[in-house]
């Protein structure tokens, strides 16, 4: 924690830290996973969710 002008207290929070990482991803910063902006998750996770949904869909069609 740091204090700023006029004795204001600055506290980092998870939401703004996450948005910072998302910004770095959208700027294509090395070492940061690509984001799926519509879902606000990594593209890797979005791809995994699509694969899971296909598996569920295909198994329910076969039944």
């Amino acid at each position: 924690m740091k204090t700023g002008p006029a004795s204001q207290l600055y506290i980092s929070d998870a939401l703004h830290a996450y948005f910072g990482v998302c910004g770095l991803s959208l700027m294509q910063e090395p070492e940061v996973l690509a984001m799926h902006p519509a879902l606000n998750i990594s593209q890797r996770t979005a791809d995994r969710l699509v694969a899971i949904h296909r598996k569920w869909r295909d198994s329910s069609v076969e039944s």
Side-chain angles (χ1 to χ4, degrees):
M1 260 189 273
K2 335 183 232 187
T3 57
S7 298
Q8 290 179 333
L9 185 63
Y10 295 102
I11 302 172
S12 60
D13 62 277
L15 176 67
H16 289 95
Y18 181 73
F19 284 153
V21 173
C22 291
L24 291 172
S25 172
L26 293 172
M27 292 170 40
Q28 300 177 349
E29 186 70 24
E31 304 295 323
V32 179
L33 293 175
M35 294 294 294
H36 188 292
L39 298 176
N40 201 25
I41 58 176
S42 70
Q43 185 61 52
R44 181 176 68 177
T45 301
D47 294 342
R48 178 70 177 135
L49 288 174
V50 168
I52 290 169
H53 284 244
R54 283 188 185 135
K55 184 177 177 181
W56 288 345
R57 181 191 64 210
D58 294 345
S59 68
S60 66
V61 170
E62 293 173 0
S63 299

